[in-house]
Amino acid sequence: MSYNVRNCTGLDGVHSPERIANIITAENVEAVALQELDSMSMRYPGEDVLGKLAELTGMYPTFGASIDFMGGKYGVGILTKEKPLSWKRIPLPCRSEPRSLLIVELEKYYFCSTHLSLHAEDRDSSADIILSELSALDKPVIIAGDFNATPDEESIKHLSQGFHFVSSPTKLTFPADKPEIEIDYIGLLLARATEIEEVETFVVEATVESDHRPLVSEIDFKKR
């Protein structure tokens, strides 16, 4: 799953990790890439948003802080059913706010979460960094996140040279109440896998829990 959760604050202004956790649990996913997470900031005093989601879902949390924010941290995260073997955060360029690529190593593959810049030039640079970093890994790699770019933009075209991005009947995830834009993606690095079979890919009809809807995919693949 890829899900920009906006700190678990919905379009109705309600802050509820419980609602987000219910969506994750209902889909029974192995790994979730999350974006826009506070950790111990004064916006939600004393709350580790990812830690709360981990507690509610029974999954393992990995947090990648992109910036210091209101006395705490702010960034991306990953939840996994399997306990990670290792993790790494790669800084990505953004002229208005630093961004991150978070990489978690699992037994059979790597799973990554990212949230790219609002500026096209930064996204283009990030695509180069992502391809370079992930192509060097020694297992199949899945990347998921909010790329802030539509499929016709250069950054997505560039990443598509290395990644097989899953398809969905709808693909549109933003805004959550009436999706009009495709900017959230899940992709498999082609250099590390073969015989790819997408079993099912869909957008969850979560209309108020965040400003994005979650994208879910089941992918079967064999290691090259």
Side-chain angles (χ1 to χ4, degrees):
M1 176 185 286
S2 180
Y3 199 1
N4 183 327
V5 295
R6 199 171 77 153
N7 273 306
C8 303
T9 302
L11 295 178
D12 55 2
V14 175
H15 175 69
S16 175
E18 289 78 10
R19 295 194 302 193
I20 300 296
N22 287 340
I23 291 170
I24 294 170
T25 301
E27 299 306 328
N28 193 31
V29 290
E30 293 183 13
V32 189
L34 299 163
Q35 302 84 46
E36 297 194 13
L37 296 166
D38 277 16
S39 177
M40 309 305 286
S41 77
M42 293 306 297
R43 178 157 49 183
Y44 308 108
E47 182 176 76
D48 173 4
V49 176
L50 182 64
K52 182 66 174 178
L53 289 173
E55 177 186 336
L56 292 167
T57 60
M59 301 175 79
Y60 291 97
T62 305
F63 181 68
S66 298
I67 60 171
D68 295 327
F69 181 74
M70 295 183 66
K73 303 290 184 180
Y74 177 82
V76 298
I78 290 175
L79 293 173
T80 52
K81 284 189 174 181
E82 176 189 334
K83 185 176 181 179
L85 302 175
S86 66
W87 69 276
K88 182 179 182 181
R89 186 190 78 85
I90 307 297
L92 297 176
C94 181
R95 62 201 62 194
S96 57
E97 176 187 294
R99 302 292 174 125
S100 298
L101 169 67
L102 180 61
I103 306 170
V104 162
E105 180 186 5
L106 302 171
E107 182 181 357
K108 295 182 179 180
Y109 63 100
Y110 290 92
F111 187 76
C112 310
S113 176
T114 195
H115 187 193
L116 299 189
S117 170
L118 293 172
H119 305 282
E121 296 86 348
D122 296 334
R123 294 195 293 270
D124 294 343
S125 299
S126 294
D128 290 332
I129 295 170
I130 290 170
L131 285 170
S132 175
E133 290 286 343
L134 300 187
S135 295
L137 299 178
D138 58 355
K139 299 177 185 178
V141 181
I142 295 173
I143 190 171
D146 176 359
F147 288 70
N148 272 318
T150 54
D152 59 336
E153 294 189 35
E154 286 304 315
S155 57
I156 301 301
K157 290 179 180 179
H158 185 31
L159 287 168
S160 296
Q161 295 175 10
F163 284 92
H164 168 74
F165 286 110
V166 300
S167 60
S168 163
T170 58
K171 302 182 182 179
L172 308 180
T173 55
F174 182 85
D177 55 347
K178 191 176 180 180
E180 299 175 346
I181 304 173
E182 179 183 2
I183 55 175
D184 296 286
Y185 300 87
I186 299 173
L188 180 68
L189 188 65
L190 293 171
R192 290 289 177 263
T194 187
E195 298 185 36
I196 302 168
E197 180 183 354
E198 296 173 38
V199 179
E200 185 178 14
T201 302
F202 58 93
V203 175
V204 180
E205 284 197 39
T207 60
V208 70
E209 293 83 354
S210 174
D211 59 345
H212 287 241
R213 292 188 182 189
L215 179 67
V216 177
S217 183
E218 182 176 355
I219 309 172
D220 283 351
F221 60 87
K222 293 182 179 179
K223 186 175 179 181
R224 188 182 298 278

